[in-house]
Amino acid sequence: MEMRRLPFAGIALLLVSLATPGIAADVAAPAPTEPPVSFVNDISPILTKAGCNAGACHAKAGMGQRGFRLSLLGFEPQEDYEHIVKEAKGRRVFPGAPEESLLLLKAANVVPHGGGKRLDTNSEDYKTLARWISQGVAYGKETDPKLASIEVQPKHGSMKTRSEQRLKVLAHYSDGSTRDVTRIALYEANDKNMAQASEEGLVKILDLPGNVAVMVRYQGMVSVFSASIPLGATVENLPPAKNFIDGFVFANLKQIGVPPSPVCDDATFLRRASLDIAGHLPTVEEATAFIADTAPDKRNRLIETLLASPDYADFFANKWAALLHNKRDAAADITADFAFHDWVRDCMQANTPYDQMARQLLAATGTIATNPAVAWYKRVKEPQQQLEDVAQLFLGVRMQCAQCHHHPFERWSQKDYYSLSAFFSQVGRKPTATAGEDVIFSKRGIAEAENKKTKLMVKPAALGGPTLDIPPDEDPRLRLADWMSEKTNPFFAKALVNRYWKHFFHRGLVEPEDDIRDTNPPTNPELLDALAKYFIDSGYDLKAMVRVITQSSAYQFGATPNQYNGVDWQNFSRYYPRRLNAEVLLDAIDQLTGAQTDFADLPRGTHAIALPDNSYNRTSGFLKVFGRPEGASVCECERVQSASLAQSLHLMNAADMKAKITAANGRAELLSKETKPEPEKIRELYLAAFSREPRENELETTEAYLGRSQFDAQGAPLDAQKAKRQGYEDILWALINTKEFLYNH
């Protein structure tokens, strides 16, 4: 074999090394051995950071992207390893020539890649991937340290608007070691209008004051950085604290320096509370009496009157029936729909404790005729849908993601999902002699559910709780109901009080209201805890929750912003106006105009808030346009609260609106025939629409409009009474189309 010739310098160095002890060892010693690269601890985080295992890329449901599939966010590293190393005949990695590996060529976009360039060839991540491949693409050893937790530093902070904070993220492992993973962690602000987080962990605060959180995610672990963003104004001259709610709201406003609006006047409170508690406008007589009342406790007495009214039961039954899927799919469903709605309404009217109501629903057995609560199982038939609805509605936890993979923002796994599903595994049904009706019962047997991924059977377990061995003769749903009503349950009470807080304040302490998790913290954690404790201590009293919220000064703040709090949409420094929902608005228009909407199969005069199911949306263009929900989801988001052009056009031009305004014996006709002075009739109109007296300029303008001369199409003067009627019709039309009428404020 021909020897390679050494350059002169190399020969000289070799001779010196032979003559000089120690030099040969320095020159000929191999490079230090590189530490082994772990797929789980080193490679999977790189793929996650680069977005390779995002839902829109190779973790897409089905076959991933172009035949290459990864688990979502790397929650299944063993599967990912198999796909990368062993699929496609091993073409994705070449240990003999790492840089020629398809995994690197695609990531660096050397070979055309649909996802574009994800890694630079000079980046540390690229080099780590190449080193892993060159080392033989090992998965790792059983003895390798496991990720135990991650820690973000700092965890809390007070930051000024337009300021920045760089985060540091530490990963703690089972062997006690710690690694700085700041560069490779993922960051996401829960409110992008308040803060932005870069890929390197730099948090930039924007212009809105309040509280914001940044979720930090690394290898299936999450941590949260919470920032308080003060406006810095002096908060003084606060109204008296009516109850514990005010203490927590006021303390937060002082901390962030946002002065609240003053407490609203009596007329505003009357209209606001009547719409929020009973779903209707006050009558002229009620408004007149309330404004004239000088007793200091009149607001509290109004709240009690509204809570005792049938309209309270109708209004909240309307809310709960939609969330509980009381929808009509066929003509045969009408009996079930009416019976279930009546059951919900009876619970509201009798103030059935919330835990008992939930228990009656979850553990319902029998037929609709004997136990209307079983109608829920008529709509929600599969254990998977049952557990998802129960978790989201009663626990404020969205479990849908965990059916297929680990929840990306939470700690819930597939095992948690199917363990919760197991509580419903023994629900049995068999048909009765009545068409479309089943008997619901608990089957005898061991409660368990199959994990669709592992194919293993799992027994029932509450979220975060131990596995339960439930005797075959016991209904497992009762165990679930027991756990839900325990005072130590971290979800049940919080989910309800947050949902009700949003009902009265237009946004929850946690938003969305049914997505309560560590990575989506409340804007006022102490208040949420205090409300949950109050609710539990009250015996899960729903009316007590309504009472304590509406009695607070925080609920009674005015809606008009001051010079400081116009940008505040999360700290409740003022009342946040919101559009009346479809049913309430329809009833309000009927009440103001003196018209009446008739509904099939219901007594004449039934209000829209008392409709039992979704079928009336199909026969009422108004309810459809204004977004009455179909009852297809447990999410409040199904109800459309946003304004639209179709809504504006409907209010201005629709035939049914014209019919209501011009109704025979309606308010316009009656006012035109009355002999009272015009100012008194105008006063009645404003009290009916806004629960307040007209202002001086409004009175003058309205009176002048009514007194003007009117002519028909041929130019002939109209009859005085007819002209007056048309004038009042025009005024009604104008009042209905004002924001003051269309919104609760």
Side-chain angles (χ1 to χ4, degrees):
M1 183 174 65
E2 182 180 354
M3 295 184 63
R4 181 178 299 177
R5 298 182 62 185
L6 295 174
F8 176 77
I11 296 173
L13 183 59
L14 178 59
L15 292 173
V16 171
S17 68
L18 292 173
T20 309
I23 290 186
D26 292 338
V27 173
T33 304
E34 295 176 326
V37 180
S38 163
F39 181 82
V40 175
N41 291 334
D42 300 304
I43 302 304
S44 187
I46 292 174
L47 300 176
T48 301
K49 184 71 173 183
C52 305
N53 52 28
C57 198
H58 292 290
K60 184 185 295 184
M63 289 303 295
Q65 197 74 270
R66 299 184 67 85
F68 179 28
R69 180 176 58 184
L70 294 172
S71 66
L72 185 68
L73 302 177
F75 286 125
E76 302 293 343
Q78 181 65 55
E79 292 183 8
D80 294 344
Y81 179 80
E82 298 282 336
H83 293 315
I84 292 171
V85 175
K86 299 183 179 180
E87 276 185 354
K89 299 180 180 179
R91 294 187 302 111
R92 294 189 177 117
V93 286
F94 295 117
E99 288 77 9
E100 299 302 317
S101 298
L102 199 59
L103 186 67
L104 288 176
L105 294 174
K106 286 273 192 177
N109 209 29
V110 176
V111 171
H113 180 219
K117 188 175 182 178
R118 311 309 301 173
L119 295 176
D120 191 278
T121 54
N122 294 320
S123 68
E124 191 64 35
D125 291 341
Y126 181 94
K127 294 174 182 177
T128 301
L129 275 168
R131 193 164 69 250
W132 172 67
I133 297 171
S134 69
Q135 290 178 359
V137 294
Y139 180 76
K141 297 177 292 185
E142 191 65 34
T143 55
D144 287 348
K146 306 294 190 297
L147 180 65
S149 65
I150 66 170
E151 173 190 2
V152 60
Q153 296 177 348
K155 194 169 181 63
H156 305 283
S158 179
M159 301 179 63
K160 296 179 180 179
T161 55
R162 292 292 168 181
S163 65
E164 296 180 352
Q165 171 69 59
R166 187 168 294 280
L167 302 180
K168 180 178 182 180
V169 184
L170 299 177
H172 300 286
Y173 291 87
S174 56
D175 63 352
S177 62
T178 299
R179 180 189 297 184
D180 187 334
V181 295
T182 304
R183 182 182 57 80
I184 206 167
L186 298 174
Y187 307 87
E188 184 176 353
N190 70 337
D191 190 334
K192 293 178 176 57
N193 293 315
M194 298 183 69
Q196 296 173 348
S198 73
E199 292 186 357
E200 294 75 31
L202 180 65
V203 178
K204 295 183 178 181
I205 300 299
L206 304 181
D207 295 322
L208 298 181
N211 298 289
V212 69
V214 175
M215 177 184 67
V216 182
R217 184 170 69 239
Y218 179 76
Q219 267 192 281
M221 297 285 184
V222 292
S223 187
V224 176
F225 165 69
S226 300
S228 175
I229 311 167
L231 182 65
T234 302
V235 178
E236 53 189 5
N237 301 321
L238 290 167
K242 300 288 186 65
N243 53 39
F244 69 91
I245 289 175
D246 293 331
F248 290 107
V249 172
F250 294 174
N252 184 54
L253 293 177
K254 288 179 180 179
Q255 179 183 347
I256 62 174
V258 177
S261 298
V263 170
C264 66
D265 59 31
D266 287 340
T268 300
F269 176 77
L270 169 66
R271 188 177 189 272
R272 179 187 299 174
S274 298
L275 288 168
D276 278 348
I277 298 176
H280 67 70
L281 291 174
T283 64
V284 173
E285 294 74 23
E286 289 169 343
T288 302
F290 189 78
I291 293 171
D293 192 347
T294 58
D297 66 337
K298 68 178 184 179
R299 295 194 180 192
N300 288 349
R301 286 190 286 109
L302 170 68
I303 292 168
E304 295 303 326
T305 299
L306 293 170
L307 285 172
S309 70
D311 287 336
Y312 160 78
D314 285 338
F315 186 41
F316 276 86
N318 179 65
K319 176 186 181 75
W320 282 104
L323 293 173
L324 292 169
H325 298 295
N326 199 42
K327 56 181 299 187
R328 195 184 308 183
D329 296 322
D333 288 344
I334 187 169
T335 301
D337 287 1
F338 277 50
F340 186 74
H341 179 268
D342 286 348
W343 172 76
V344 176
R345 187 190 181 282
D346 289 346
C347 287
M348 296 296 107
Q349 188 68 53
N351 200 28
T352 302
Y354 182 61
D355 62 327
Q356 292 184 26
M357 180 180 170
R359 187 183 188 86
Q360 291 174 24
L361 181 84
L362 296 184
T365 57
T367 64
I368 293 168
T370 59
N371 185 6
V374 302
W376 184 71
Y377 286 97
K378 182 179 177 69
R379 304 282 176 263
V380 188
K381 294 185 177 181
E382 299 300 323
Q384 285 77 15
Q385 187 183 1
Q386 290 159 0
L387 86 89
E388 289 174 6
D389 282 11
V390 167
Q392 188 168 342
L393 183 59
F394 292 111
L395 305 176
V397 177
R398 298 183 177 187
M399 293 291 292
Q400 290 87 336
C401 294
Q403 180 179 6
C404 301
H405 51 76
H406 195 291
H407 196 298
F409 306 138
E410 260 286 16
R411 59 185 183 272
W412 310 125
S413 65
Q414 283 181 296
K415 184 178 184 302
D416 296 312
Y417 180 95
Y418 290 105
S419 293
L420 197 58
S421 170
F423 284 108
F424 298 96
S425 62
Q426 296 306 105
V427 175
R429 62 182 72 234
K430 57 184 178 182
T432 67
T434 304
E437 183 175 349
D438 294 328
V439 175
I440 301 298
F441 62 98
S442 178
K443 298 182 291 186
R444 187 181 188 280
I446 300 298
E448 55 185 5
E450 181 188 51
N451 185 321
K452 302 300 182 184
K453 187 175 186 65
T454 65
K455 304 302 180 182
L456 298 176
M457 303 302 291
V458 295
K459 292 185 177 181
L463 293 179
T467 299
L468 302 177
D469 288 311
I470 302 176
D473 290 326
E474 184 178 341
D475 188 340
R477 298 174 298 167
L478 294 173
R479 290 285 193 97
L480 178 61
D482 289 342
W483 170 75
M484 287 171 59
S485 61
E486 287 177 359
K487 291 186 176 182
T488 56
N489 186 299
F491 311 105
F492 186 63
K494 283 185 179 179
L496 184 282
V497 301
N498 189 58
R499 187 179 295 277
Y500 268 42
W501 185 269
K502 180 170 184 174
H503 175 90
F504 289 100
F505 284 89
H506 191 34
R507 68 154 289 148
L509 292 163
V510 176
E511 192 66 28
E513 72 284 346
D514 53 9
D515 192 14
I516 300 175
R517 48 187 162 84
D518 295 341
T519 52
N520 186 30
T523 57
N524 194 326
E526 296 81 9
L527 175 56
L528 182 61
D529 290 341
L531 283 166
K533 183 179 184 303
Y534 175 85
F535 186 48
I536 293 170
D537 292 345
S538 73
Y540 300 97
D541 188 324
L542 290 172
K543 286 188 177 182
M545 183 52 53
V546 174
R547 183 182 297 113
V548 75
I549 289 175
T550 53
Q551 284 180 349
S552 68
S553 290
Y555 174 75
Q556 299 178 28
F557 283 151
T560 303
N562 56 37
Q563 67 182 100
Y564 301 105
N565 68 358
V567 296
D568 172 36
W569 284 99
Q570 64 161 221
N571 300 290
F572 314 104
S573 61
R574 56 190 171 88
Y575 185 86
Y576 305 137
R578 63 184 182 278
R579 203 208 69 199
L580 304 184
N581 69 37
E583 305 92 306
V584 174
L585 182 57
L586 180 56
D587 287 342
I589 291 171
D590 281 349
Q591 184 175 327
L592 176 61
T593 61
Q596 184 171 276
T597 303
D598 294 325
F599 301 101
D601 305 316
L602 294 171
R604 185 172 174 78
T606 298
H607 293 156
I609 61 169
L611 297 176
D613 62 29
N614 67 314
S615 64
Y616 300 94
N617 300 355
R618 296 190 287 271
T619 58
S620 171
F622 187 97
L623 294 178
K624 186 174 182 179
V625 167
F626 282 87
R628 185 171 189 256
E630 292 290 334
S633 168
V634 293
C635 183
E636 298 266 12
C637 59
E638 190 184 353
R639 177 179 292 281
V640 177
Q641 287 292 100
S642 56
S644 68
L645 179 60
Q647 294 168 4
S648 298
L649 293 175
H650 193 100
L651 290 171
M652 291 189 289
N653 299 316
D656 64 330
M657 290 300 303
K658 181 179 179 180
K660 291 179 184 300
I661 291 171
T662 62
N665 295 317
R667 193 180 294 272
E669 181 178 358
L670 295 177
L671 286 175
S672 69
K673 292 179 178 179
E674 286 185 359
T675 57
K676 293 187 299 186
E678 293 302 331
E680 288 189 28
K681 292 189 280 185
I682 295 171
R683 174 178 173 273
E684 177 185 322
L685 267 179
Y686 274 78
L687 285 169
F690 307 137
S691 303
R692 65 169 175 84
E693 300 271 358
R695 302 181 182 95
E696 190 64 34
N697 64 322
E698 292 170 332
L699 182 60
E700 292 175 1
T701 302
T702 307
E703 191 170 6
Y705 184 84
L706 292 169
R708 82 195 197 293
S709 299
Q710 296 193 58
F711 304 89
D712 62 18
Q714 287 72 41
L718 286 180
D719 171 74
Q721 195 274 327
K722 186 175 182 180
K724 189 73 69 176
R725 176 175 176 175
Q726 285 192 6
Y728 277 111
E729 289 171 357
D730 292 345
I731 299 300
L732 281 173
W733 181 90
L735 294 178
I736 288 171
N737 281 279
T738 62
K739 288 184 178 179
E740 187 173 359
F741 182 80
L742 297 174
Y743 280 72
N744 196 5
H745 47 80

